[in-house]
Amino acid sequence: MTNQPKSRDGYQWTKATGLVQGVPTLGLIQPPTHFTRGKNYDVIVIGGGYAGIITCRDLTLAGNNVLLVEARDRIGGRSWSSNIDGYPYEMGGTWVHWHQPFVWRELRRYGMVDQLEISPRKNVEGGARVTVNLDGEIKHLTHDDEDAIVESAFKKFINVDGQFGRTVVPFPHDIELHRAGVEEYDHMSMADRMVQVAPHLTPLEKNMFEGFLSITHGGKWEEASFFELLRWWALMDYNLPNFMELGLMYKIRDGQSALARRIFDEAVGTGRLDYTFSTPVKDVIDHGHGVEVTARSGGEVFKARRLVCTVPLNVLHTLAFSPKLPTLKTEASLAGHVNKVVKCHAEVANPDMRSLGATNYPHGRLTYTFGDGTTPAGNTHLVAFGSSLPGVHLDPEQDIEVTKEAFEAFHPGMNVQRLVFHNWHKDEFAQGAWEWLRPGMTTKYLKALRERHGNVFFASSDSSFGWRGFIDGAMDDGGRIAKLVHDELRDVHPIASKL
């Protein structure tokens, strides 16, 4: 096992070590604090995910003194990677694409565009195979068969307008430009739409497609908005090949934490970024002339002229604000998005698994797995996702034997050597995976979530424009809010901002 310093986050299991909490990562920040007590900063940023570190970088490069306050011991938020024996396992957000403009800008900026790897490894290594557990009968397919079946089902499911959703979401980067489509389908649940479409699906189509969707929204079907899928579909150019390529094909060779580290290090290099990690926030007080932040420990109080809060939607209500947050912000956070998907990696000593794609729905504790690379030991890397259906939801750390069995249920002869995962729905600073809103939440809450509250601004992938719920959305929102805050501070003190 590598001697690289470990974050407290994540879990790893091997036969030799048993279950160990904490995994090594490039995103760990040591020493964990670097700030001046009593200093009045231009801006405090709460949260060191992509929205937070982009905000910090852009503000510091523009000449502002910034303090980053982060509850974890690392950067990256819900997009971070372990680094075990030089091999990255993506614990959260993973895939990127050149059609995601803000991600691509950052990869180009840091000279990382040549670091993309194809993922999953379809028809690349080992025996190409797809298995589907259809009511106890194992179906063997090719990857081309799999794509054709899912595409057939997807088109039936998404085609509410005879044009595969194009008239419903013609402007996916600004849904307010076609409000009628949003209002009609935002109040429809995924369950509602499945009732309409199910009679037109073959048993195999229904099984495979439901399995796919269950790990897309990651929640109960009746609690997940159908509009969210329409929005994803539009962002991915209204067809399944693009849907899969833009959302599930290219990952960064050295892991997401390698990119996050470059952003953070550039901000630190300006000499204008201070930070304190392992510092959960208790409350935020806006005095009108400035903002005061108190750490949960009660031992530290930080002051600034403005504050940018980047904590996830499901966590926002756990911070106390004075004045209190507007009702719609609080209601939205208390309701929360629904995604409780489980993501788990396995290193298996079977090279034939390298091009595997396997579905075990609805009875498997893990729903879908695929080959995602070859580890330094020459073993196969599998990544798997599980839905949160009642009775099959998996907490991987609770019983490693159950987790191993969930992998082995996909295909015989896996020989699991290592497990790596982060349990997002039990993470107090995330309380869920990527954003997927409930029916009606987009129309009722999204605009309110973006609005400032006095001297407090909000940036988050959960409420961003465009690629909301994705890495690109977090970067987009961080840069957008950094510009708003800098312009306001410059207008308040135009001479000082030029110094």
Side-chain angles (χ1 to χ4, degrees):
M1 186 179 299
T2 180
N3 291 322
Q4 182 179 328
K6 298 194 303 182
S7 169
R8 294 188 302 272
D9 283 348
Y11 290 88
Q12 179 183 184
W13 172 89
T14 67
K15 294 179 180 179
T17 65
L19 182 65
V20 177
Q21 183 171 359
V23 296
T25 175
L26 299 175
L28 183 72
I29 304 302
Q30 293 183 324
T33 58
H34 175 78
F35 66 93
T36 302
R37 284 181 171 81
K39 182 175 180 178
N40 197 348
Y41 291 88
D42 293 316
V43 186
I44 292 173
V45 176
I46 300 177
Y50 272 124
I53 59 177
I54 289 287
T55 302
C56 289
R57 185 200 62 195
D58 288 2
L59 284 172
T60 54
L61 288 173
N64 301 281
N65 291 310
V66 178
L67 174 67
L68 172 63
V69 182
E70 167 57 52
R72 307 182 189 278
D73 55 10
R74 59 171 182 81
I75 54 174
R78 286 172 286 177
S79 295
W80 71 289
S81 53
S82 69
N83 195 280
I84 299 172
D85 298 330
Y87 185 86
Y89 294 86
E90 295 288 2
M91 311 299 277
T94 302
W95 293 279
V96 296
H97 197 276
W98 45 91
H99 286 177
Q100 297 166 344
F102 300 94
V103 165
W104 197 250
R105 179 190 63 189
E106 299 303 328
L107 292 173
R108 178 67 71 187
R109 179 189 190 112
Y110 297 110
M112 298 177 69
V113 296
D114 62 346
Q115 293 193 20
L116 297 191
E117 290 188 336
I118 294 175
S119 160
R121 308 290 290 179
K122 289 185 177 182
N123 303 318
V124 175
E125 299 173 292
R129 64 185 70 193
V130 176
T131 64
V132 179
N133 187 338
L134 181 60
D135 297 326
E137 180 184 357
I138 303 300
K139 300 286 187 178
H140 296 276
L141 310 171
T142 67
H143 285 292
D144 289 341
D145 293 335
E146 176 189 31
D147 291 344
I149 292 168
V150 173
E151 182 172 22
S152 174
F154 218 132
K155 286 182 175 179
K156 295 172 185 176
F157 196 79
I158 213 75
N159 194 20
V160 294
D161 58 352
Q163 297 187 43
F164 301 104
R166 288 180 181 272
T167 66
V168 179
V169 193
F171 303 104
H173 282 266
D174 195 345
I175 57 177
E176 294 300 318
L177 294 177
H178 191 64
R179 186 78 176 179
V182 180
E183 291 178 345
E184 180 175 1
Y185 292 104
D186 183 38
H187 291 84
M188 178 180 286
S189 72
M190 295 288 282
D192 294 334
R193 181 57 181 164
M194 184 55 76
V195 168
Q196 295 176 349
V197 174
H200 307 288
L201 301 176
T202 68
L204 188 57
E205 281 181 333
K206 187 172 185 295
N207 178 273
M208 293 178 64
F209 188 54
E210 282 190 345
F212 177 80
L213 292 181
S214 73
I215 59 172
T216 302
H217 60 73
K220 296 178 180 178
W221 287 78
E222 64 273 14
E223 295 179 353
S225 170
F226 172 57
F227 176 75
E228 291 284 72
L229 186 66
L230 286 170
R231 181 177 62 85
W232 277 31
W233 180 254
L235 284 166
M236 299 177 191
D237 203 30
Y238 312 94
N239 70 79
L240 185 65
N242 279 355
F243 191 102
M244 302 307 290
E245 180 176 311
L246 271 67
L248 195 73
M249 182 169 286
Y250 297 102
K251 65 177 183 178
I252 301 172
R253 182 184 66 223
D254 294 333
Q256 285 293 336
S257 289
L259 174 57
R261 191 65 196 236
R262 284 168 170 80
I263 298 168
F264 178 78
D265 288 348
E266 183 176 6
V268 171
T270 67
R272 290 184 283 270
L273 178 65
D274 285 358
Y275 51 83
T276 175
F277 287 81
S278 298
T279 309
V281 168
K282 177 184 177 184
D283 57 45
V284 175
I285 301 175
D286 185 351
H287 295 287
H289 57 81
V291 181
E292 188 174 279
V293 174
T294 303
R296 187 186 294 175
S297 64
E300 297 288 355
V301 177
F302 312 106
K303 298 180 180 180
R305 297 194 291 165
R306 300 291 185 272
L307 182 136
V308 179
C309 179
T310 73
V311 301
L313 170 64
N314 289 3
V315 179
L316 181 61
H317 68 275
T318 67
L319 276 62
F321 288 84
S322 178
K324 290 183 178 180
L325 290 179
T327 300
L328 289 179
K329 282 187 187 291
T330 303
E331 282 185 2
S333 180
L334 287 169
H337 71 74
V338 301
N339 193 341
K340 304 292 185 181
V341 76
V342 173
K343 182 179 184 181
C344 190
H345 301 271
E347 181 180 359
V348 303
N350 187 334
D352 288 342
M353 299 293 104
R354 288 176 188 165
S355 192
L356 177 70
T359 302
N360 189 13
Y361 177 86
H363 305 296
R365 290 185 178 273
L366 290 172
T367 303
Y368 186 71
T369 190
F370 54 82
D372 206 29
T374 303
T375 70
N379 293 322
T380 298
H381 167 208
L382 295 174
V383 60
F385 297 87
S387 67
S388 59
L389 293 175
V392 297
H393 186 79
L394 178 69
D395 288 314
E397 74 280 11
Q398 279 192 349
D399 191 329
I400 286 298
E401 291 304 315
V402 170
T403 304
K404 287 170 59 183
E405 289 169 4
F407 269 100
E408 291 161 353
F410 285 119
H411 201 283
M414 280 199 172
N415 193 3
V416 176
Q417 303 293 302
R418 185 193 308 271
L419 296 169
V420 186
F421 53 88
H422 185 137
N423 192 339
W424 289 106
H425 80 279
K426 283 198 169 182
D427 180 331
E428 67 169 316
F429 305 120
Q431 297 186 26
W434 60 86
E435 165 271 334
W436 195 287
L437 297 181
R438 299 169 186 270
M441 287 188 73
T442 293
T443 48
K444 184 174 182 180
Y445 296 123
L446 195 56
K447 183 179 179 181
L449 286 171
R450 295 170 178 160
E451 292 174 349
R452 66 185 295 178
H453 180 52
N455 288 315
V456 179
F457 293 75
F458 299 86
S460 173
S461 172
D462 293 345
S463 53
S464 64
F465 296 86
W467 288 89
R468 175 159 50 87
F470 290 77
I471 293 168
D472 193 80
M475 292 178 169
D476 179 3
D477 227 34
R480 180 180 69 88
I481 293 299
K483 180 69 163 58
L484 290 175
V485 173
H486 171 70
D487 287 351
E488 180 167 294
L489 292 178
R490 179 191 59 192
D491 291 341
V492 172
H493 298 290
I495 297 177
S497 68
K498 297 177 181 179
L499 297 179

